[in-house]
Amino acid sequence: VGPGNNDDTLLSAVASALHTSSAPITGQLSAAVEKNPAVWLNTSQPLCKAFIVTDDDIRKQEERVQQVRKKLEEALMA
């Protein structure tokens, strides 16, 4: 959300929010951020659109982790 933001900006904002707070990271929940992305509406959340992590997202990520672990194991055994 906002002018000039890119993937690196979002990653930095989420990482910073995770590092500085134990609160859940949800992004900006207000629709007002869509009208004026330069407004910092909730300072405890990164300046990104609200997002939801589903059980399916978690399952897919767990599968990716298992695949990478298997590749690493195979590489170490070679």
Side-chain angles (χ1 to χ4, degrees), residues 26-42:
T26 60
Q28 299 294 323
L29 298 173
S30 172
V33 75
E34 295 294 326
K35 295 176 184 173
N36 186 356
V39 174
W40 190 266
L41 299 173
N42 182 348

Side-chain angles (χ1 to χ4, degrees), residues 2-65:
N5 287 338
N6 58 31
D7 289 346
D8 291 338
T9 306
L10 175 60
L11 181 59
S12 295
V14 172
S16 177
L18 288 170
H19 181 69
T20 59
S21 174
S22 61
I25 306 303
T26 60
Q28 299 294 323
L29 298 173
S30 172
V33 75
E34 295 294 326
K35 295 176 184 173
N36 186 356
V39 174
W40 190 266
L41 299 173
N42 182 348
T43 58
S44 68
Q45 294 297 322
L47 190 56
C48 63
K49 292 180 182 178
F51 54 89
I52 298 173
V53 177
T54 66
D55 287 341
D56 190 50
D57 294 329
I58 294 169
R59 183 186 51 75
K60 287 178 185 176
Q61 186 63 31
E62 287 173 343
E63 289 173 1
R64 287 182 64 196
V65 168

Side-chain angles (χ1 to χ4, degrees), residues 65-77:
V65 168
Q66 290 301 323
Q67 290 171 355
V68 171
R69 285 181 177 168
K70 184 172 175 86
K71 286 182 183 180
L72 177 59
E73 179 183 3
E74 291 170 357
L76 292 173
M77 298 302 277

